[in-house]
Amino acid sequence: MTYPTAKFLAAVALLGGGLSLVSAALAESPAATAAANVCAGCHGADGNSVATTFPKLAGQQNKYLLRELMDYKSGKRVSEIMAPLVADLSESDLAELAAYYAKQKPAPGVAGASALMKAGKNLYLKGNSKTDVPSCDGCHEENGNGDGKFPRVAGQHVDYVLDQFRLYAAGKRTNGARVMQAVAERMSEQEARAVAEYMASMP
Amino acid sequence: MNMKPTLIAAAISLLAFNAHSAGPEFHHQPHAAGIETYGYTWNSPDQDMNRALAYKASAQRGKSAYKICKGCHKADGSGQASADYPQLAGQHATVIIKEMMDIRAGRRDNPRMYPFAGEWIVSAEEIADIAVYLNHLPVNDSNDKGNGKNLALGKSLYDKDCASCHGGNGEGDARKFYPRVAGQHYEYLLRETHESRDQGRRNANPEMVKVLKSYGDADIEAVSDYMSRLLPAKK
């Protein structure tokens, strides 16, 4: 596994990825090297990405991370960005990467537009029975930390989350449990934004 | 892995991707033959159901698996009357298993719940676990009730036509897959009784449907109100 590190890093540097964060301490295994050299440019060295369309991976559920990485590799989860990046990584590399990010400390969430926060919290904890949107706390836990195959949503970037809601609702993210397609389809745009803001604010 | 610069450039230009256009039909509930079909037999043998029934279920595992359902049926299993989410607490495990399998197979229409009930999110074994867990939860008796105006009529209809299966106190019969109706939300009872009479509930019991044929809407309201107020002995 050889990454043309210099070119790649130069490219991602344009994205404003915090390359200075890439610490030598990570270079202990092939996966850690990949994390430092390739993934860090977009997801941050410790998985706390800065750019808001790149998901935060720090503290994410290990089981969930591995499944998503395997699905990018097999094409079940479609992403033209992620697919080539994991194409040549083995399952054990991916397992190491998943374990690495799961262990990182998530940066605390940031409180967003306060006007939507109340509505977002309400949807997260109560759902909307008029449109059969179940509350989110059952599967993602009240604190947003998730559990196993249910991903952590606390502190996640609003832009990334809204992208995912759009993909779910359009039937373009179908690798996981179909539940999220129904959830995304049933939420109004206003609700989607409000709940995304609320999740982003969770510590 | 060989990352070509062009690939990187392409990847980066894709960052501004956009999701649009209607997707395929995901999570569409299938349709299986039900009471509207000639030769329908209620509760005919079903492989998944037998698997769940034979499984050595655990309420403890069920508590954790139930989180998928909580978002609608509530943490205490009391449901939400205003949305026709039935109370599941205290319901017989056999009944919960049968209803789940009927919904999965499309014998009972429930498109609202279907995306959260398929094998992609909950296995037959987990359903068995959830069913025993729910059966052990105490019935919440602040359930939705009717207006209380025709309880005498409700009681006489119930004792004459319904008690033989649903039990004198609405306790149902686990062994025979007869649901417990005591403490269920009035709105839900009303709806299911109507739907059963009018064959909208396609997994209904034909003998019950026969009894309901002579029922007018006022009778259904009275008997539903009565059932919602029944409370069998606490566990």
Side-chain angles (χ1 to χ4, degrees):
Chain A
M1 193 174 73
T2 51
Y3 290 95
T5 314
K7 271 181 195 145
F8 184 77
L9 292 187
V12 294
L14 295 171
L15 297 167
L19 294 184
S20 56
L21 288 172
V22 180
S23 89
L26 298 178
E28 52 201 23
S29 69
T33 311
N37 290 346
V38 183
C39 321
C42 294
H43 293 290
D46 61 350
N48 284 301
S49 56
V50 178
T52 58
T53 53
F54 302 147
K56 289 186 187 169
L57 307 177
Q60 183 52 277
Q61 295 291 327
N62 192 354
K63 190 169 170 184
Y64 169 76
L65 285 173
L66 178 58
R67 201 205 52 199
E68 298 308 301
L69 288 169
M70 293 295 288
D71 286 355
Y72 281 132
K73 190 174 157 74
S74 71
K76 266 178 83 185
R77 179 168 174 187
V78 182
S79 162
E80 315 214 15
I81 300 165
M82 282 303 300
L85 293 166
V86 292
D88 291 346
L89 295 174
S90 68
E91 180 169 358
S92 69
D93 292 335
L94 296 180
E96 259 188 74
L97 283 165
Y100 169 77
Y101 285 114
K103 273 198 304 254
Q104 303 308 305
K105 195 170 185 285
V110 275
S114 60
L116 290 174
M117 208 59 77
K118 211 174 135 207
K121 182 173 181 180
N122 198 51
L123 188 74
Y124 191 89
L125 297 175
K126 300 214 170 90
N128 182 351
S129 62
K130 288 196 188 74
T131 48
D132 293 317
V133 177
S135 65
C136 324
D137 59 344
C139 293
H140 294 286
E141 304 294 326
E142 199 174 328
N143 61 8
N145 197 45
D147 179 20
K149 66 180 173 181
F150 300 104
R152 173 183 168 88
V153 289
Q156 192 53 278
H157 296 299
V158 171
D159 288 339
Y160 168 74
V161 165
L162 291 177
D163 278 345
Q164 298 307 306
F165 285 160
R166 271 180 233 121
L167 291 170
Y168 281 128
K172 292 185 172 178
R173 179 172 171 186
T174 55
N175 64 309
R178 293 178 219 189
V179 297
M180 281 310 297
Q181 296 165 13
V183 169
E185 232 181 14
R186 293 171 184 185
M187 280 189 294
S188 68
E189 250 181 85
Q190 172 89 358
E191 284 175 326
R193 175 157 283 281
V195 80
E197 297 273 6
Y198 175 66
M199 293 189 300
S201 77
M202 291 169 124
Chain B
M1 178 177 168
N2 236 328
M3 286 272 303
K4 295 187 194 70
T6 47
L7 201 156
I8 294 162
I12 288 162
S13 71
L14 271 162
L15 295 179
F17 74 99
N18 230 322
H20 46 77
S21 87
E25 305 268 312
F26 25 85
H27 64 67
H28 236 211
Q29 193 182 8
H31 184 94
I35 201 161
E36 75 290 353
T37 315
Y38 179 75
Y40 165 77
T41 10
W42 174 74
N43 205 10
S44 57
D46 177 283
Q47 231 182 337
D48 277 349
M49 190 168 128
N50 289 339
R51 213 168 92 225
L53 290 170
Y55 180 69
K56 205 166 169 291
S58 132
Q60 207 187 335
R61 281 195 305 269
K63 181 176 166 55
S64 145
Y66 178 69
K67 66 177 163 200
I68 307 160
C69 325
K70 257 191 204 167
C72 292
H73 293 285
K74 297 281 157 201
D76 64 355
S78 62
Q80 288 183 75
S82 60
D84 288 325
Y85 300 155
Q87 164 140 246
L88 301 176
Q91 186 55 275
H92 302 299
T94 52
V95 170
I96 291 172
I97 290 172
K98 177 181 189 289
E99 299 306 323
M100 285 296 286
M101 297 312 177
D102 283 350
I103 291 165
R104 273 149 80 110
R107 288 182 290 267
R108 176 173 175 186
D109 301 314
N110 190 352
R112 302 160 68 194
M113 164 165 143
Y114 184 71
F116 305 91
E119 75 283 352
W120 51 83
I121 186 81
V122 57
S123 68
E125 289 77 15
E126 285 171 321
I127 288 177
D129 290 336
I130 292 171
V132 288
Y133 170 67
L134 288 170
N135 178 245
H136 285 112
L137 289 182
V139 181
N140 183 329
D141 58 13
S142 58
N143 61 310
D144 177 53
K145 302 186 178 67
N147 64 16
K149 286 189 182 147
N150 284 307
L151 293 175
L153 172 64
K155 178 173 167 46
S156 74
L157 292 172
Y158 184 84
D159 289 346
K160 177 165 67 75
D161 292 333
C162 323
S164 57
C165 292
H166 291 288
N169 288 315
E171 69 275 17
D173 185 333
R175 212 171 38 83
K176 294 184 171 160
F177 299 88
Y178 295 162
R180 166 198 177 120
V181 287
Q184 186 54 276
H185 297 299
Y186 168 71
E187 287 292 339
Y188 176 76
L189 292 167
L190 190 66
R191 178 169 180 271
E192 294 309 306
T193 310
H194 266 130
E195 293 269 300
S196 299
R197 182 192 65 185
D198 304 338
Q199 306 209 339
R201 176 148 167 180
R202 299 188 302 103
N203 66 343
N205 180 292
E207 284 178 64
M208 166 170 147
V209 174
K210 213 186 304 165
V211 169
L212 287 172
K213 279 283 175 260
S214 63
Y215 273 53
D217 290 352
D219 298 326
I220 292 182
E221 281 164 31
V223 77
S224 298
D225 195 356
Y226 179 72
M227 291 189 289
S228 71
R229 291 163 197 268
L230 285 172
L231 268 188
K234 289 223 167 21
K235 296 195 195 210

